[in-house]
Amino acid sequence: MKKKLPILENVKITAIAAEGKALARVDDRVVFVPYVVPGDVADLQVRRKKHNYMEAVAIRIHHYSADRATPFCPHYGECGGCKWQCLKYQEQLKWKQQQVVDNLTRIGKIDLPHISPIIGSAKTQAYRNKLEFGFSNRRWLTEREIDDDRNSAATSPGALGFHVAAAFDKILDITQCNLMPDINNTIRNEIRRYALAHNLTFYDLRQNRGLLRSLMLRDSNTGQLMLLVQFRIDTDDEHRQAMNLMQHLSDSFPQITSLLWVDNHKCNDTFADQEIHTYRGTDYIFQQMEDLRFKVGPKSFYQTNTDQAYTLYQVARHFAGLTGNELVYDLYTGTGTIANFVSRQARQVIGIEYVVEAIDDARVNSEINHIDNTLFFAGDMKDILTAPFIERHGRPDVVITDPPRAGMHADVVGTIMTARPERIVYISCNPATQARDLGLLNPQYKVTRVQPVDMFPHTVHVENVVLLEHR
């Protein structure tokens, strides 16, 4: 017989741990609890018990912390995003700063200089410029819907929203998301209404069938709006249905300047290798940063918090200390945003990126901004950034690196150390892997400045910029 897990009574929450869960200690054992904040006192139902830690949920809160905030989203606690809505924003920033300190000192063993206070986001809602939503014929029912037999919405034949972490093939139906301006709700809810009214089939991930697969919305600070709808079209009738939906969207939302669609028959929704069809308007939008314009297509990478991206790049440019005479290597350049952003303060910038289409975008962005001192190369970083490459193109004075969450390959770190640039500016969305790489660089490079930047309010994620100078 399975042993019943205990209820822990009157437990005080004391800190924030990894992945955003709050932390308490009971009998010298750590307890991880979601959706509570430091200062709360609660009864906890243990859900998982291990030798040195437990996982639990709060079933009753006796005392609410002064650091608590009222969640603003109707899907809070059901949707997997924005888990820190219950914590005041200034407290979120405090714990994100501590996350950076803990990672750099515990993982990287870095002797840290003074860390600048984290730069918060001026916008804490409607700060994203891109969202993706999925369709599913398997709707995730919330506990409230399961308990309420009278809720007719619970029997809805399809859902349009976010994937549920606990069930890969189910979608939590989202009626309101505050991460983008409200146009995202208006468009999404109208697509759902139209689809249900016209009996369009919602995607079945297990069977890889169903007309409606996903949609992506992108907006820009130039007032443009992109909508891409992914279909799986198997018959002439489904093609007619898909085009009728696109026409309805074209008629209903003239503010959409880039209306696109994809016919994707793969078993996943990635469309980097798929043909994009333009139904109306252009196949791109523009983002503005200072006097630079960046062309952003449906496959392009662009930082999803437009305003904070500008802040982040300003920090990176400042740390680089460019005088106009430097050769800069921009590693993991993406669509060349940073490379083009710093190009006017450098002699030359060389950008390297794995994705060929991103490098194509980078070259276009240099061209449209009349920038002629950039060079871009596509391929695996560890294969391109080699000693012969550096011998051919020159030893960099400054390296700016902004790798994916996994951090840099050890061979890339080794090549950087061999190249011996005077300064390295390391931008990271994952302070843990950043700390690991800083530890590898530590024999030759000293960390002299650290600047955390909050790109994603109400989430556990934090961006961090580090300046390293040759010892």
Side-chain angles (χ1 to χ4, degrees), residues 315-328:
V315 171
R317 186 172 62 188
H318 177 64
F319 279 11
L322 303 177
T323 65
N325 299 316
E326 293 83 5
L327 173 61
V328 179

Side-chain angles (χ1 to χ4, degrees), residues 248-266:
H248 175 71
L249 293 171
S250 180
D251 295 339
S252 302
F253 300 103
Q255 59 267 59
I256 298 175
T257 58
S258 176
L259 183 57
L260 314 172
W261 63 278
V262 174
D263 181 15
N264 183 354
H265 288 241
K266 299 189 305 178

Side-chain angles (χ1 to χ4, degrees), residues 46-103:
V46 176
R47 292 287 177 86
R48 190 180 184 194
K49 191 174 183 181
K50 295 293 183 179
H51 175 68
N52 57 350
Y53 75 92
M54 293 182 282
E55 295 178 6
V57 295
I59 57 175
R60 181 185 178 191
I61 297 182
H62 297 281
H63 170 77
Y64 288 97
S65 169
D67 295 331
R68 261 194 172 267
T70 302
F72 51 81
C73 177
H75 304 290
Y76 176 75
E78 297 161 353
C79 171
C82 304
K83 294 180 180 178
W84 278 6
Q85 289 179 47
C86 58
L87 184 63
K88 289 180 178 178
Y89 186 55
Q90 288 304 312
E91 290 299 307
Q92 294 179 31
L93 296 178
K94 182 183 82 172
W95 289 106
K96 290 187 182 192
Q97 177 116 357
Q98 189 61 47
Q99 180 187 147
V100 170
V101 172
D102 290 346
N103 279 296

Side-chain angles (χ1 to χ4, degrees), residues 12 34 73 125 157 214 227 255 325 330 350 360 382 429 432 455:
K12 185 172 183 178
C73 177
Q125 295 184 41
S214 69
L227 171 64
Q255 59 267 59
N325 299 316
D330 179 26
I350 295 175
D360 291 340
K382 68 180 181 356
C429 60
M455 302 286 286

Side-chain angles (χ1 to χ4, degrees), residues 311-371:
T311 300
L312 185 75
Y313 295 165
Q314 283 179 304
V315 171
R317 186 172 62 188
H318 177 64
F319 279 11
L322 303 177
T323 65
N325 299 316
E326 293 83 5
L327 173 61
V328 179
Y329 280 17
D330 179 26
L331 310 185
Y332 312 92
T333 190
T335 55
T337 317
I338 294 177
N340 285 299
F341 185 72
V342 304
S343 63
R344 291 173 182 172
Q345 287 77 36
R347 172 169 54 85
Q348 186 177 52
V349 184
I350 295 175
I352 306 173
E353 166 62 40
Y354 178 75
V355 180
V356 174
E357 291 85 357
I359 288 297
D360 291 340
D361 288 341
R363 292 174 179 141
V364 168
N365 284 325
S366 287
E367 183 179 346
I368 64 178
N369 288 291
H370 309 292
I371 294 170

Side-chain angles (χ1 to χ4, degrees), residues 25-195:
R25 294 185 182 274
V26 177
D27 298 330
D28 294 326
R29 188 178 295 181
V30 172
V31 186
F32 298 106
V33 192
Y35 303 115
V36 291
V37 304
D40 284 346
V41 178
D43 293 343
L44 308 178
Q45 172 65 68
V46 176
R47 292 287 177 86
R48 190 180 184 194
K49 191 174 183 181
K50 295 293 183 179
H51 175 68
N52 57 350
Y53 75 92
M54 293 182 282
E55 295 178 6
V57 295
I59 57 175
R60 181 185 178 191
I61 297 182
H62 297 281
H63 170 77
Y64 288 97
S65 169
D67 295 331
R68 261 194 172 267
T70 302
F72 51 81
C73 177
H75 304 290
Y76 176 75
E78 297 161 353
C79 171
C82 304
K83 294 180 180 178
W84 278 6
Q85 289 179 47
C86 58
L87 184 63
K88 289 180 178 178
Y89 186 55
Q90 288 304 312
E91 290 299 307
Q92 294 179 31
L93 296 178
K94 182 183 82 172
W95 289 106
K96 290 187 182 192
Q97 177 116 357
Q98 189 61 47
Q99 180 187 147
V100 170
V101 172
D102 290 346
N103 279 296
L104 268 56
T105 55
R106 295 175 184 176
I107 298 175
K109 308 298 182 185
I110 301 299
D111 182 17
L112 288 178
H114 171 72
I115 296 184
S116 300
I118 186 171
I119 301 174
S121 177
K123 293 180 181 176
T124 58
Q125 295 184 41
Y127 60 81
R128 288 186 66 101
N129 58 43
K130 177 184 176 184
L131 282 177
E132 297 179 71
F133 300 94
F135 294 88
S136 178
N137 64 339
R138 289 182 171 89
R139 174 177 173 177
W140 179 263
L141 300 182
T142 67
E143 291 183 4
R144 286 175 295 177
E145 290 172 337
I146 293 171
D147 292 340
D148 188 358
D149 292 335
R150 296 169 298 174
N151 189 341
S152 60
T155 60
S156 170
L160 173 55
F162 294 127
H163 281 275
V164 177
F168 77 97
D169 62 335
K170 289 186 172 63
I171 293 285
L172 176 68
D173 205 49
I174 299 292
T175 57
Q176 180 182 337
C177 180
N178 299 283
L179 288 172
M180 278 184 79
D182 195 51
I183 187 65
N184 95 84
N185 298 312
T186 305
I187 292 174
R188 187 182 61 259
N189 292 333
E190 176 56 22
I191 291 174
R192 183 196 300 103
R193 185 206 65 78
Y194 179 96

